[in-house]
Amino acid sequence: MLSHPNVIAVQHALDAADARDHTGAGCRVIVLDDGVHTAAAAAAALGVEAAQIANSLIFEVDGEPLLVLTSGGHRVDTAKVAADLGVAKLRRATPEFVREHTGQVIGGVAPLGHPKPVRTLIDTALAGYGEIWAAGGVPQAVFPITYPELLRVTSATPAEVA
């Protein structure tokens, strides 16, 4: 799985950004034995709290993608986020829309490594953890990172999304 093109793209993006984990070491994508399609499954596989999982959710806003990195302990309040952005509504993206704009499949969407940059919001609740985990391009791949580093490498906007 480490040789999957999506995993390679994510690792290259992490390397290019000189992304660091909570120990100060370079972020490395790891592959789990099984796919982890939910925050609860990822947390169980990693031995961390579900709230430490940075779920990557793609929404469609006026035909453009919006990536919301939300704590696994939250559900995105789409009405609140839409109001904060000054748009009529957020629509949950179709699997085809997600793949078109990220090159990745739902359940494995990474916060970076996409064909072109995607506007990104990051849940401020994730700032409460010294280590968070994000998807690595396929459902079996994840990587550790800190909130400040995830904010930096994704050029995300901090937001209260729940």
Side-chain angles (χ1 to χ4, degrees):
M1 244 331 127
L2 284 175
S3 62
H4 190 284
N6 290 350
V7 176
I8 292 169
V10 171
Q11 187 62 62
H12 283 312
L14 290 167
D15 292 346
D18 195 29
R20 299 289 160 185
D21 68 16
H22 71 288
T23 69
C27 290
R28 305 298 314 161
V29 176
I30 63 168
V31 176
L32 302 171
D33 292 336
D34 297 307
V36 288
H37 296 274
T38 66
L46 295 165
V48 299
E49 295 178 42
Q52 289 176 259
I53 304 301
N55 282 335
S56 297
L57 304 173
I58 298 286
F59 294 91
E60 186 177 344
V61 180
D62 299 330
E64 293 296 320
L66 172 70
L67 172 58
V68 178
L69 299 172
T70 186
S71 166
H74 286 160
R75 294 187 71 95
V76 174
D77 181 338
T78 56
K80 176 186 180 345
V81 173
D84 290 349
L85 293 175
V87 298
K89 72 183 237 181
L90 302 182
R91 283 186 356 166
R92 192 67 176 258
T94 65
E96 297 79 20
F97 186 88
V98 171
R99 186 181 288 262
E100 175 187 348
H101 291 281
T102 68
Q104 302 162 0
V105 297
I106 292 173
V109 175
L112 69 175
H114 310 134
K116 63 181 187 175
V118 175
R119 182 178 183 190
T120 304
L121 302 179
I122 185 169
D123 189 346
T124 55
L126 289 165
Y129 296 93
E131 176 185 57
I132 55 180
W133 290 83
V138 296
Q140 300 90 333
V142 294
F143 64 91
I145 194 165
T146 65
Y147 179 84
E149 277 293 271
L150 188 58
L151 187 63
R152 182 182 70 79
V153 303
T154 60
S155 299
T157 301
E160 291 183 18
V161 300

